[in-house]
């Protein structure tokens, strides 16, 4: 039985993942912006077997509240051993190119708010000497591409931060899981036409659950993205810059 | 959460496509909790008529208003899991809002046996939640791959109509979201007229956000069943009347090709939930493997010869002497769900089901005539089902079930000969004061519909101005 703080609990991937945690009887502390959505999710997870479900309405960008949030979760659940960070948004790349404000907002939500939460979470877990931090990053962070490098840059920052955390927290027995999904069919990508590489949130959720349970630290999901990204990462720059990726 | 430039990897890995496609197809069908409709196969189960559809998934009910604003010119229709055979679930030229992601359970009262869930929950998912806790849906149709919203909108019925009525009779409350943002809690006591319009309302009165259902207690997931062969339609009536006294569930398969002295011969199945102290208390296993019909063939495997052969074989299938056995509820209620995508055997032309009900007074003669006409043309197909509807009155203004005898039969690739036959059958049904089931229809005439559903004019007042369906436009002769 785990005691989990979930940031961005109304996201499609978090919902599907939490159903798997609920089946294990885990305790869940759910944070998201929308009260009504949180309430229906919390009822659903309780009926699916979650040992306890507590909800808090808070914007992930309100970083000044993160320290309190971690404390509150630990108190409410009678301890805290897992942190799942699932919030984020998909910025419009064209809009970001035209506006620094848009770029900055995207970086704040997709990188800075996550780093803030991880700072407090890491200190909590390091102090208690155990725990699992799982963060949904993206394959987009593996190499910058013209079609979405603002999103990719934020995710690269998250992935690199997690690498560092993993290195730092290894000594204290804390697991750090970096989740790198490819295309997932969620509200965030609703406007995209779906091809064959697209996965359902349920499929991604199974991989995340598996990674958390088995402490697998780098998790490409679905699995084939590891190899796709391997190829993309190894394309020489002189060739890569000529591609319209 | 993540996304990478859509066209990029697509182009690079184009060569993987075929391989991936096959993988996905096989995998998609395997689990009931896999939301295949998310990848937007907005089609009817019969595959006829075939119309390209624009589907938009709704992750939350309230997103409906966002989508309505995004497509201000279009009519919308809620789309559940696409198990309606005909065009009630289609909206050619408009938008289908997929409800499968609205699949959250909101409340379950273990003591009273009531459950509240969002309208995109599959009946099968609901049962996975309730059956282990000793509760069973009071009414279930022949597939568990339907959404609760779809079950309400079509006011579906089951093998126990003679006892329990139809699905709408078990709905305690529901919440309706209208395109103007109005939210209505509807029940037999609250907003009653909306309740009556929405049950059997073909998804036209607004979006059902959630519903509260009554359940019935069960001791275990098992059914005590008896299988009886009957050699003529008259015998069916005799056995049915007898069965309805002692059995909660009854249903008969008929040989749609048999004529003369064999007319309406078939196999009747009747059953009750097994009690606490059954002689076969041992666990009855459900099939572990779920085979799937892999592809839609360019041609149909179903033709008069294969059907005749199948029907003979099925009619003469070996039955234990007393006919009794104890089986898991799944094969009892959902024999066809055992093979996923079974509709693909009908090929690309698809199929259509014709389901009609004729009142008891004229039932016998009308049914004889209907069966003889079908048998004479040899167009009818594998699945032909007879059932006596009971006197429990339906809630909905457009509900199909009414006292009498009902026949449901498949017709592969509805060509001109089939359509001509079905129009003739319509004539018989109209004369007998019966009705044809919209959930399975794609061809009945506006005049016939009005005869079958005299409350249509009252129903029209409750249609949401932004909602419509292919079926509705057809029935209205092109008028919205």
């Amino acid at each position: 039985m785990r005691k989990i703080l979930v940031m961005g609990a109304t996201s499609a991937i978090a919902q599907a993942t939490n159903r798997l945690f609920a089946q294990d009887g885990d305790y869940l502390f759910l944070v998201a912006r929308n009260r009504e959505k949180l309430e229906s999710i919390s009822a659903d997870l309780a009926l699916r077997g979650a040992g306890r479900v507590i909800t808090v309405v808070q914007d992930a960008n309100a970083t000044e509240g993160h320290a309190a949030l971690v404390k509150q979760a630990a108190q409410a659940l009678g301890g805290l051993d897992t942190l799942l960070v699932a919030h984020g948004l998909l910025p419009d790349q064209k809009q970001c190119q035209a506006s620094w404000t848009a770029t900055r907002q995207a970086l704040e939500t997709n990188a800075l708010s996550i780093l803030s939460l991880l700072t407090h979470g890491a200190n909590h877990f390091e102090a208690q000497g155990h725990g699992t931090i799982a963060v949904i990053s993206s394959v987009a962070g593996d190499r910058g591409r013209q079609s979405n490098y603002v999103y990719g840059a934020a995710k690269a920052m998250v992935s690199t931060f997690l690498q560092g955390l993993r290195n730092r927290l290894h000594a204290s027995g804390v697991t750090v899981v970096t989740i790198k999904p490819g295309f997932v069919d969620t509200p965030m990508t609703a406007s995209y036409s779906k091809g064959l590489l697209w996965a359902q949130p349920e499929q991604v959720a199974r991989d995340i659950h598996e990674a958390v349970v088995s402490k697998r630290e780098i998790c490409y999901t679905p699995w084939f993205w590891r190899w796709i990204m391997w190829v993309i990462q190894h394309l020489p720059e002189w060739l890569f810059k000529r591609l319209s990726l | 959460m993540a996304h990478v430039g859509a066209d990029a990897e697509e182009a690079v890995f184009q060569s993987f496509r075929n391989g991936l496609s096959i993988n996905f197809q096989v995998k998609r069908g395997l689990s009931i909790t896999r939301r295949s409709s998310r990848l937007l196969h907005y089609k009817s189960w019969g595959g006829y008529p075939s119309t390209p559809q624009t589907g938009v998934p709704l992750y939350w009910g309230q997103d409906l208003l966002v989508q309505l604003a995004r497509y201000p010119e279009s009519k919308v229709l809620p789309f559940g899991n696409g198990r309606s055979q005909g065009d009630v679930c289609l909206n050619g030229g408009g938008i289908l809002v997929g409800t499968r992601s609205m699949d959250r359970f909101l409340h379950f009262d273990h003591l009273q046996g009531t459950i509240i869930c969002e309208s995109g929950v599959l009946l099968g998912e609901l049962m996975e939640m309730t059956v282990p806790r000793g509760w069973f849906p009071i009414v279930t149709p022949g597939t568990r791959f339907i959404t609760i919203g779809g079950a309400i909108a079509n006011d579906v019925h089951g093998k126990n109509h003679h006892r329990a009525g139809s699905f709408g009779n078990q709905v305690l409350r529901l919440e309706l979201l209208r395109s103007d943002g109005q939210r209505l809690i509807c029940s037999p006591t609250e907003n009653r007229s909306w309740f009556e319009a929405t049950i059997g309302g073909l998804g036209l009165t607004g979006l059902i956000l959630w519903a509260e259902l009554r359940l019935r207690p069960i001791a275990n997931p098992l059914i005590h069943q008896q299988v009886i062969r009957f050699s003529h339609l008259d015998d069916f009536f005799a056995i049915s009347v007898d069965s309805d006294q002692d059995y909660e569930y009854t249903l008969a398969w008929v040989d749609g090709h048999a004529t003369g002295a064999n007319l309406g011969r078939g196999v009747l199945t009747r059953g009750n939930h097994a009690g606490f102290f059954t002689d076969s208390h041992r666990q009855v296993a459900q099939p572990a493997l779920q085979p799937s019909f892999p592809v839609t063939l360019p041609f149909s495997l179903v033709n008069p010869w294969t059907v005749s052969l199948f029907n003979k074989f099925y009619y003469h299938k070996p039955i234990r002497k007393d006919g009794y056995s104890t089986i898991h509820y799944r094969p009892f209620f959902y024999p066809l769900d055992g093979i996923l995508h079974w509709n693909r055997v009908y090929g690309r032309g698809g199929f259509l089901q014709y389901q009609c009900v004729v009142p008891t007074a004229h039932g016998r003669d009308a049914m004889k005539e209907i069966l003889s006409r079908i048998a004479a043309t040899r167009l009818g197909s594998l699945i032909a089902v007879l059932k006596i509807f009971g006197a429990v009155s339906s809630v909905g203004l457009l509900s199909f079930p009414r006292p009498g005898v009902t026949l449901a039969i498949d017709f592969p690739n509805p060509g001109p000969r089939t359509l001509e036959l079905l129009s003739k059958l319509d004539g018989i049904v109209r004369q007998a004061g019966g009705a044809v089931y919209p959930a399975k229809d794609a061809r009945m005439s506006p005049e016939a519909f009005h005869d079958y559903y005299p409350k249509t004019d009252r129903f029209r007042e409750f249609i949401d101005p932004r909602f419509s369906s292919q079926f509705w436009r057809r029935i209205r002769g092109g008028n919205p």
Side-chain angles (χ1 to χ4, degrees), chain A residues 13 15 19 36 44 48 86 138-139 145 148 151 181-183 185 188 192 196 200-202 206 232 245, chain B residues 1-5 8-9 13 20 24 34-35 38-39 59-60 62 103-106 108 133 183:
Chain A
I13 294 178
Q15 278 187 73
R19 284 185 179 180
E36 196 183 353
D44 181 65
R48 288 172 193 268
S138 169
V139 295
R145 293 164 306 108
N148 69 347
Y151 181 72
F183 306 133
D185 186 8
M188 184 161 133
Y192 290 79
L196 294 163
Q200 293 302 302
E202 288 75 19
R206 276 195 297 275
I232 287 182
L245 290 173
Chain B
M1 276 277 90
H3 166 263
V4 189
E9 282 78 4
F13 298 96
L20 282 172
F24 281 5
R34 191 72 63 81
R35 301 179 215 178
R38 277 256 203 90
L39 280 175
Y59 294 88
W60 303 90
Q62 53 265 45
D103 66 346
R104 299 162 198 102
F105 292 96
L106 304 178
F108 182 17
R133 294 167 170 89
R183 289 168 75 150

Side-chain angles (χ1 to χ4, degrees), chain B residues 82-144:
Chain B
R83 290 285 161 147
S84 308
Q85 275 92 344
D87 57 358
V88 283
C89 64
L90 302 178
N91 190 18
I95 304 293
L96 290 173
V97 286
T99 61
R100 269 296 282 133
S101 295
M102 296 164 55
D103 66 346
R104 299 162 198 102
F105 292 96
L106 304 178
H107 186 72
F108 182 17
D109 187 327
H110 301 239
L111 299 175
Q112 302 292 322
T114 60
I115 190 162
I116 305 179
C117 65
E118 291 183 335
S119 58
V121 168
L122 290 186
L123 184 64
E125 290 171 346
L126 182 126
M127 293 168 93
E128 280 171 18
M129 168 76 74
T130 65
V131 168
R133 294 167 170 89
W135 293 100
F136 205 76
I138 297 180
V139 172
T140 166
T143 173
R144 62 190 212 283

Side-chain angles (χ1 to χ4, degrees), chain B residues 111-277:
Chain B
L111 299 175
Q112 302 292 322
T114 60
I115 190 162
I116 305 179
C117 65
E118 291 183 335
S119 58
V121 168
L122 290 186
L123 184 64
E125 290 171 346
L126 182 126
M127 293 168 93
E128 280 171 18
M129 168 76 74
T130 65
V131 168
R133 294 167 170 89
W135 293 100
F136 205 76
I138 297 180
V139 172
T140 166
T143 173
R144 62 190 212 283
F145 298 125
I146 58 162
T147 61
I148 299 302
I152 294 171
N154 292 290
D155 197 11
V156 299
H157 54 271
K159 297 180 179 193
N160 60 346
H161 185 274
H162 59 283
R163 295 261 176 102
S166 53
F167 199 87
N169 293 92
Q170 325 311 328
V171 178
L172 295 169
R173 279 189 306 156
L174 58 85
E175 186 174 15
L176 193 65
L177 173 63
R178 300 272 295 175
S179 64
D180 59 6
Q182 200 184 1
R183 289 168 75 150
L184 297 166
I185 307 266
C186 311
S187 75
T189 53
E190 212 176 338
N191 292 312
R192 189 192 166 105
S193 45
W194 288 97
F195 189 66
E196 292 170 350
T198 301
I199 287 174
L202 307 174
L204 297 169
T205 62
L207 178 70
I208 300 170
L209 294 175
W210 54 259
E212 179 172 12
L213 309 174
R214 213 150 46 87
L215 305 165
R216 57 149 295 158
I218 48 168
N220 54 50
L222 305 182
I223 301 284
H224 261 324
Q225 71 162 8
Q226 192 190 16
V227 181
I228 305 165
R229 205 177 343 251
F230 57 90
S231 55
H232 190 270
L233 188 63
D234 290 333
D235 298 345
F236 161 77
F237 283 104
I239 302 170
S240 278
V241 169
D242 179 45
S243 301
D244 288 358
Q245 304 286 326
D246 302 323
Y247 289 87
E248 186 162 353
Y249 303 107
T250 69
L251 192 80
W253 168 87
V254 286
D255 180 348
H257 278 202
T259 53
N262 290 331
L263 183 77
R265 69 175 181 179
V267 179
L268 182 132
T269 307
R270 55 193 193 181
N272 286 317
H273 286 282
F276 274 110
F277 304 103

